[in-house]
Amino acid sequence: MDYLITEGYPSAAEKFAAEANIQPKADLSCINERVQIRESIHRGDLQAAIELINELNPELLDTDKKLHFSLLRLQLVELIRQSFTSSDPGLVGKAIEFAQNNLAPYAPLDAQFKVDLERAMALLIVPKESWTQAATSGSSSQPTTSVQNDFGALAELVDPSLRRKVAKDVNEAILQSQDQRREANIRYLVRARAWAEQLAREKKIELPENLPLGLDGEETPSRSQNGHNGDTEMTENGSEATGADAEITRYTNLPS
């Protein structure tokens, strides 16, 4: 439930709450605003996304310069993309004007802003044929070899993953501005599990090659050998841990 609310899936969260017979802690209707922003970014409509963000929190982009710049740079990339995939010859000039008016003022603020702006502007010299090829492979999760060859170090700017990254950053910033966690608990749990496993291996503690997550209902070898039934496990201080908490406890209570 926490993951569905934090990541912005209100319909799934509502169905989950109904099936599990639980009451969501958050107002599911409030998630729709973040969903609209995310969908606008995913389809490349950055102007609509920025307007929605300003309606939701007028101060967010003013205080978070890095986030605002990333949105504007992505908007510039989309304008350049349109200029090469459209028959309107005036779109190139509009993209350049947009960069001058909206992104150039950021360049003196941070050296990285200047570098990122220059890389985005370099897309203007990419041949139109390369943009056509990128458009045909835009639905793939990774840039194709031909796109990587045509765009070189700029390939990441035209890859759909950039939209997803910016949308994720925006979602986290909105949550933080609303005094909520930036990430769902399960993400912290996964990182904690990976850290505990790495620490155990560094201490030369014998572990299975692959540690199951315990989501398939099967008993793990380590637990069956120790006589556990897979449901609960006692921690070092005598308290009871369940599920994933027990998994973390197993590998975080390590000998020095």
Side-chain angles (χ1 to χ4, degrees):
M1 173 64 74
D2 173 69
Y3 174 84
L4 297 175
I5 292 176
T6 303
E7 297 296 320
Y9 298 100
S11 298
E14 186 175 5
K15 292 179 181 178
F16 182 90
E19 293 180 2
N21 194 26
I22 59 177
Q23 184 65 32
K25 295 181 180 180
D27 183 2
L28 298 182
S29 62
C30 296
I31 307 176
N32 291 325
E33 297 169 327
R34 289 190 285 118
V35 172
Q36 292 176 9
I37 294 171
R38 180 186 66 204
E39 291 178 347
S40 296
I41 297 174
H42 282 179
R43 67 172 180 265
D45 191 352
L46 275 298
Q47 185 59 39
I50 291 174
E51 291 175 357
L52 288 170
I53 293 171
N54 287 331
E55 290 178 5
L56 181 62
N57 187 341
E59 299 180 356
L60 179 59
L61 298 182
D62 290 334
T63 56
D64 195 335
K65 299 296 185 182
K66 183 177 180 181
L67 181 66
H68 194 195
F69 178 84
S70 66
L71 283 164
L72 292 173
R73 187 185 68 152
L74 182 56
Q75 187 172 2
L76 173 61
V77 171
E78 300 299 339
L79 289 173
I80 295 175
R81 189 198 309 272
Q82 293 173 15
S83 70
F84 280 96
T85 57
S86 172
S87 58
D88 186 355
L91 291 180
V92 173
K94 291 181 180 179
I96 296 175
E97 183 180 0
F98 176 84
Q100 292 174 336
N101 295 336
N102 297 278
L103 286 161
Y106 277 88
L109 302 180
D110 192 307
Q112 189 59 48
F113 287 162
K114 181 180 179 181
V115 172
D116 291 341
L117 174 56
E118 290 174 345
R119 294 182 70 244
M121 293 298 292
L123 291 172
L124 289 169
I125 64 175
V126 176
K128 185 173 182 178
E129 294 75 13
S130 299
W131 284 101
T132 303
Q133 176 64 31
T136 59
S137 59
S139 58
S140 62
S141 59
Q142 296 292 336
T144 63
T145 302
S146 60
V147 172
Q148 289 177 329
N149 292 337
D150 290 340
F151 287 86
L154 305 177
E156 63 180 29
L157 295 178
V158 299
D159 186 72
S161 63
L162 180 60
R163 294 179 179 177
R164 295 192 293 269
K165 179 185 181 303
V166 173
K168 177 178 178 294
D169 292 342
V170 169
N171 186 63
E172 292 179 355
I174 292 174
L175 289 171
Q176 187 176 41
S177 70
Q178 297 174 343
D179 296 326
Q180 301 182 51
R181 289 188 306 274
R182 292 174 62 94
E183 289 185 317
N185 281 335
I186 192 171
R187 293 188 182 275
Y188 292 106
L189 181 60
V190 170
R191 286 200 295 269
R193 184 183 187 277
W195 169 83
E197 181 180 344
Q198 179 183 0
L199 184 61
R201 296 190 188 281
E202 290 175 354
K203 289 180 175 289
K204 308 301 182 182
I205 295 177
E206 185 176 352
L207 295 176
E209 184 67 23
N210 295 311
L211 291 174
L213 291 174
L215 301 178
D216 54 4
E218 296 181 357
E219 188 177 26
T220 62
S222 59
R223 293 192 179 187
S224 60
Q225 292 172 1
N226 293 328
H228 296 296
N229 60 11
D231 293 330
T232 62
E233 180 173 342
M234 299 303 293
T235 63
E236 188 176 16
N237 60 10
S239 61
E240 189 176 70
T242 61
D245 291 334
E247 194 72 22
I248 286 185
T249 301
R250 177 187 296 277
Y251 296 115
T252 52
N253 290 334
L254 301 173
S256 58

